[in-house]
Structure formats: C-alpha cells, structure tokens
Amino acid sequence: MSTGLAARLAALPPMDVAGRAGRLRALLGDERVDGLLVTSLTNIRYLTGFTGSSALLVLTADDMLLVTDGRYTEQAADQLGASGAPARLEITGTEQRRVVAEALAAAGRVGLEAEHVSWAAQRRYAGEWFPDQVVVATSGLVEGLRRFKDEGELARMAAAAEVADAALAELRPRLLDGPTEAEFALELDATMRRLGATRPSFETIVASGPNGARPHARPSGRRIATGDLVVLDFGAVVDGYCSDMTRTVAVGDIDATAARMLEVVTAAQAAGVAAVAPGTEAVDVDAACRQVIAEAGWADAFTHGTGHGVGLDIHEAPRVGTTSDAVLAVGDVVTVEPGVYLPGHGGVRVEDTVVVTAEGCRPLTHSTKDPAP
Ligand code: ZN
Ligand code: ZN
C-alpha cells in the first residue's frame, strides 16, 4: 500500500458535525415547523455522527434528541461524544413513540422528511404519534446542507477517490489476461477494501464489448477480450463518504468507431468539467457535454444525465442534467460523466468527481484517461 494513502486514511481531519444542527435549526422557521422528526439514517449520521441501522432524531428550537435501541447503547454514546453533536440520547426499543412525542409535545407543527417517510409511516405519525398536531411534509432540508462539504468531508472523499485510483492502477494490466467481468469486478472490490475502503460505494460496473452499451450493466461471466472497450464505473467508501469514477479501457486494438467514441466522450467530459464553477447552472454543465456529443452525431446515444452530487450517498443533490434547477456553489461535489452507448457495439463513459471551488473546480479522481490497460 502507498504509505502516503495509509497515513492519510489513519489521520483524517475532523468534520464540523457539531455545527450542523444549528444550520438546520435556522431553516425551521422558513418551513413553518416547530420541530422536525429526522428519519433518514444518512441525515441522522450527518447531524450526529451516529452510524447505527435504526434511529430517530428530533430537532426543535432548543433541543436535539437521538433515540435508538439497546443494540447501540455504547456506540451511540461514543459517536455523539466523538462528533460533539449537541444531542441528548435516549435508549429505548419499545418507548420510542412516547419519547419522541414528548420531545415534540410543544411543537404545533411537526415536520417529517417527505422523501424518507413511507405512506404507511406518514399515516402512523399523523394518526398515532402526533394526533393533535399538524404534520407537515418537508423536502430536502438536510440534503440541502449536505451539498456543501467541509474540509473534513472533502478529505474523506479525496481519500475514497485515492483508494479507487490506486486499485485501478494496480489492476488495470490484468485486463489483458482475459478475466471475466465478474472476476475483474471482484478484484476491484477486494483491492479497494485492502487499500482501506469500508466497502465499494455501489455495485461495481465492469461492462465489456457489447455489454458496455448498457450504462448500468451488471458484471457478467463474459470474458474480456482483445478489441473490447471496457467500462469500469466504481468507487470506495471511506468513513461514510463515497467516491465515484468511470474509466473506459481499450483492450488491444479497437476499431475506428470505438476509437472515435473514446475521443468524443473524453472531449465531452473535459468540456463539462471546464464548465463547472460557482454560479453556473447545472443544466449548462450538462449542455456543455451534450453539445460535443451532438456535434459528433451521437446526441441520441447519450442516454442519461451528466452527473450528480456525491457525499454520504453515492447519488445526492445536486443533479446535473437537462431538467436540473440547481446552481452550483463552492463546496458542491458533483460528477461529470457523459457517455455514448451504441447497442450491439459497445459503450464509453468517462467520469470524474469534482469539488466546486472559488476558481472553478478541482478533481478528486485522478486516474489516467489514457485508455491503454
Ligand atoms: Zn460512476
Ligand atoms: Zn456517477
């Protein structure tokens, strides 16, 4: 393992977890809610540092309460202590409804996270938990805060990207040995874990030859052969934060169409990255990619959006696509990942994850775009 990478993984800088509750609280007035019940585990992690698989979080003007069960007594206390989040902790399996209702008793209007509450749960909250209060749907409050990464978060994402870069650098010559897609995907996943990833950030995509025409192909038993383009889309998780990168590798001699696809998509991707800057509308980043591909005559072969935010989730705000209404701002972390997919022939996608900075953006992913294995 690169000693630099190991050292960076061992000494990740702190994140500003403690300040997040205050920033969320500042939004409650605009939402006209007196208290918020946070049910998304990712959002609870963001606000408190707690990583368990079951919890509820109550936020009001003067209180934050994390409720979880006996499996997490020690972990929850440790993680709240480590993050410095200003939250009380209640451990209960059976009394969660009572504890939460008490914490929100003075709230006339109780906000729920609309994107994270099922229809059944909404009925339960409105009918049984808060029968005398107004239950209000809120949307994207914590996700809006999560868009803008602090230095500690960026360090984790950079480390995750570095793990993925190192894994690919180590393994790419093996594409010449004729592994199956599934074998190569397994090697990538194992190598990322060996280099310090908690896990892959999503199911690794290894799509060779004609399979590359399917943007989200699953690794198959197909053996990678000379003349193939191989789309490799993968990422690592470090301390909860994801990386995301795609490279398309050309194994041996490729035909003229494949070479042209590589050239066009690489140019489109560079145009998209060049467009990323604070104040830029996400639709314009999408358009910058799309224009290069359209000029090559392949407008219809670019069948998905240009990118997405990345963070604790592999896909988060903001979206970068033809219908996005986001305006990029400093601290946003987004992918730029145009592709061209020709059914029966194959596909090319090139993806970097970039941080929006005052000057424009800087990439977190650094693997070479030279298509040689
Ligand atoms: Zn990706
Ligand atoms: Zn992506």
Side-chain angles (χ1 to χ4, degrees):
M1 191 193 299
S2 142
T3 50
L5 174 54
R8 282 189 282 285
L9 287 166
L12 293 166
M15 297 183 288
D16 175 27
V17 177
R20 293 169 183 168
R23 287 193 283 279
L24 178 59
R25 197 168 270 140
L27 302 175
L28 297 185
D30 286 347
E31 295 293 318
R32 298 178 52 240
V33 298
D34 308 304
L36 184 67
L37 177 61
V38 182
T39 50
S40 155
L41 288 170
T42 310
N43 288 344
I44 290 172
R45 176 182 190 151
Y46 179 77
L47 293 165
T48 66
F50 176 65
T51 62
S53 66
S54 176
L56 297 166
L57 184 73
V58 174
L59 185 85
T60 63
D62 50 15
D63 189 23
M64 181 153 81
L65 172 67
L66 177 67
V67 184
T68 184
D69 62 68
R71 293 171 296 171
Y72 294 115
T73 307
E74 216 176 331
Q75 177 184 328
D78 286 352
Q79 290 182 323
L80 277 184
S83 74
R88 299 188 289 128
L89 178 61
E90 283 267 9
I91 304 292
T92 171
T94 56
E95 295 288 302
Q96 297 200 347
R97 171 176 149 188
R98 181 186 57 76
V99 166
V100 167
E102 263 174 33
L104 284 163
R109 294 169 60 88
V110 175
L112 301 180
E113 295 187 291
E115 272 88 11
H116 305 290
V117 176
S118 69
W119 190 349
Q122 189 278 339
R123 290 168 66 100
R124 199 162 56 243
Y125 289 133
E128 298 169 23
W129 290 45
F130 314 114
D132 303 321
Q133 289 149 293
V134 180
V135 171
V136 179
T138 70
S139 180
L141 294 182
V142 184
E143 287 81 352
L145 299 177
R146 281 170 47 193
R147 270 183 61 177
F148 308 111
K149 275 71 179 177
D150 67 34
E151 288 305 316
E153 295 179 285
L154 291 176
R156 282 154 180 78
M157 298 185 72
E162 193 178 351
V163 165
D165 282 334
L168 180 58
E170 181 178 326
L171 293 177
R172 60 191 297 154
R174 290 206 219 162
L175 288 166
L176 295 167
D177 301 341
T180 68
E181 294 172 351
E183 286 165 352
F184 194 77
L186 183 62
E187 285 293 309
L188 265 178
D189 293 355
T191 303
M192 287 193 290
R193 292 189 80 138
R194 180 164 47 74
L195 292 174
T198 318
R199 57 179 172 84
S201 53
F202 57 95
E203 189 180 342
T204 294
I205 295 171
V206 178
S208 64
N211 293 342
R214 282 175 262 165
H216 269 199
R218 279 223 154 95
S220 76
R222 184 184 186 278
R223 214 163 266 294
I224 293 165
T226 299
D228 281 354
L229 291 174
V230 186
V231 178
L232 305 167
D233 187 351
F234 63 104
V237 173
V238 167
D239 197 24
Y241 284 83
C242 299
S243 76
D244 190 7
M245 174 174 73
T246 307
R247 290 294 183 265
T248 301
V249 179
V251 179
D253 289 333
I254 53 172
D255 66 30
T257 305
R260 178 80 181 128
M261 289 163 76
L262 270 173
E263 189 185 345
V264 168
V265 173
T266 304
Q269 201 266 348
V273 170
V276 173
T280 299
E281 293 186 39
V283 283
D284 291 338
V285 176
D286 181 83
C289 292
R290 224 164 274 282
Q291 185 186 340
V292 175
I293 291 171
E295 280 166 6
W298 280 323
D300 295 341
F302 177 16
T303 50
H304 53 74
T306 284
H308 53 86
V310 188
L312 287 168
D313 284 330
I314 185 62
H315 294 124
E316 57 178 58
R319 276 185 322 104
V320 182
T322 51
T323 59
S324 175
D325 59 4
V327 176
L328 299 178
V330 173
D332 264 324
V333 179
V334 294
T335 68
V336 179
E337 50 176 309
V340 165
Y341 310 94
L342 302 182
H345 196 94
V348 171
R349 182 166 62 258
V350 176
E351 173 183 28
D352 283 310
T353 299
V354 302
V355 187
V356 180
T357 62
E359 296 77 34
C361 71
R362 69 181 162 85
L364 294 178
T365 44
H366 295 290
S367 290
T368 177
K369 295 189 179 86
D370 180 338

